[in-house]
Amino acid sequence: MIETADAEPEYDDTAIRFLEALWGEGYLSPGGPDEVDRVVEGLSLKGKTILDIGCGAGGVTLHLVATHRAARATGFDVERPVIETARRRAAAQGLEDRVSFVQAPPGPLPFTGSSFDVVFSKDALLHVPDKDALFAEIFRVLKPGGVFAASNWMIGHDAEPSLEMKAYVAAEGLSFAMASPARYAEAMRRAGFTGIAVRDRNPWYREVAREELARLKGPLYAKAAAAVGAAYVDKNIKTWEAMQKVLDSGEHRPTHLRGWKPVG
């Protein structure tokens, strides 16, 4: 995660174009709208106010309003390029009256307490090193009775990462601060969440990532190379190959989280 609002972004326009070519317009993490739907499965979002932490290019935030009929959604991210992209997308879809996007540097969330019915996040919390502080903030901005629902990339343990995991993280070149599902659940408990649920998504993404790699090497290569250059695609093919190893070993654990802020 960037240190200040003006630091060099990790998700610049090139990264946005590449990831959208792979995962769909507005999506910077895998699974598209179908995986978003799985994260909020069984929850009614109609008429609710939602905060989307790490909103990226805005596809998820807009989906939560357009498809799940949230009354209003606020997308939050620390990086300027993705927020600018998200704002353009909201305008193009005519959803500016129900969606807003906020960019601010890392730290306390720039929202008052008890502001949202739902806090959502899709594969963004791994960039935040201090999990306890993170969930204290999420708990603070939720209304009593509100729900937190997220997907996040995790590591299967809190011991020293394997050489394969270190190689994968190095290949990504991003500020990953990965922790185990147990560590996330403990941070949620410390913050005050109840009804905490953890759902392992490694079996799903292990196979999806294999398909993504095949597409990058095959039918998607020319399209992606035209968008971002062949060298950038080649680099990411090596990253996917490194990621597949730790997905197959089970050390890389994409996981869904859910928990509630008590009413009283």
Side-chain angles (χ1 to χ4, degrees), residues 7-82:
E8 189 70 21
E10 295 188 351
Y11 294 89
D12 57 14
D13 290 337
T14 302
I16 293 170
R17 290 197 303 274
F18 172 76
L19 294 174
E20 287 188 337
L22 183 62
W23 288 325
E25 187 174 301
Y27 289 86
L28 305 185
S29 66
D34 290 343
E35 184 65 0
V36 174
D37 293 344
R38 294 185 194 101
V39 175
V40 299
E41 189 176 13
L43 299 176
S44 175
L45 306 184
K46 183 179 179 181
K48 301 293 179 64
T49 56
I50 300 178
L51 172 63
D52 179 11
I53 296 177
C55 64
V60 172
T61 318
L62 295 168
H63 178 71
L64 294 172
V65 168
T67 301
H68 291 274
R69 297 182 291 172
R72 183 165 186 82
T74 300
F76 170 74
D77 208 288
V78 301
E79 299 206 343
R80 186 169 289 116
V82 293

Side-chain angles (χ1 to χ4, degrees), residues 125 128-140 148 152 154 158 179-194 196 198 257-260:
L125 303 182
V128 183
D130 190 336
K131 309 305 181 188
D132 290 324
L134 168 67
F135 282 103
E137 277 296 286
I138 292 172
F139 191 85
R140 179 183 66 81
F148 165 73
N152 196 48
M154 304 186 194
D158 292 306
S180 70
R183 176 70 187 91
Y184 274 88
E186 176 60 24
M188 291 176 68
R189 279 191 291 272
R190 290 178 181 176
F193 284 95
T194 59
I196 297 167
V198 178
L257 296 170
R258 190 175 294 184
W260 278 262

Side-chain angles (χ1 to χ4, degrees), residues 65-206:
V65 168
T67 301
H68 291 274
R69 297 182 291 172
R72 183 165 186 82
T74 300
F76 170 74
D77 208 288
V78 301
E79 299 206 343
R80 186 169 289 116
V82 293
I83 288 291
E84 291 173 350
T85 299
R87 287 171 177 161
R88 289 193 296 269
R89 186 158 285 121
Q93 294 186 24
L95 290 172
E96 290 172 295
D97 60 330
R98 295 170 59 198
V99 176
S100 60
F101 292 97
V102 176
Q103 184 254 339
L109 294 169
F111 308 102
T112 58
S114 302
S115 295
F116 300 96
D117 298 305
V118 180
V119 173
F120 179 93
S121 187
K122 179 71 167 65
D123 304 333
L125 303 182
L126 77 163
H127 295 293
V128 183
D130 190 336
K131 309 305 181 188
D132 290 324
L134 168 67
F135 282 103
E137 277 296 286
I138 292 172
F139 191 85
R140 179 183 66 81
V141 301
L142 265 177
K143 295 178 182 178
V147 63
F148 165 73
S151 170
N152 196 48
W153 284 16
M154 304 186 194
I155 189 170
H157 56 83
D158 292 306
E160 182 76 8
S162 69
L163 293 177
E164 290 79 10
M165 177 61 83
K166 289 179 179 178
Y168 161 60
V169 173
E172 285 279 14
L174 300 171
S175 56
F176 283 5
M178 298 178 86
S180 70
R183 176 70 187 91
Y184 274 88
E186 176 60 24
M188 291 176 68
R189 279 191 291 272
R190 290 178 181 176
F193 284 95
T194 59
I196 297 167
V198 178
R199 181 183 183 189
D200 182 18
R201 295 295 286 157
N202 171 278
W204 165 77
Y205 191 52
R206 188 169 62 233

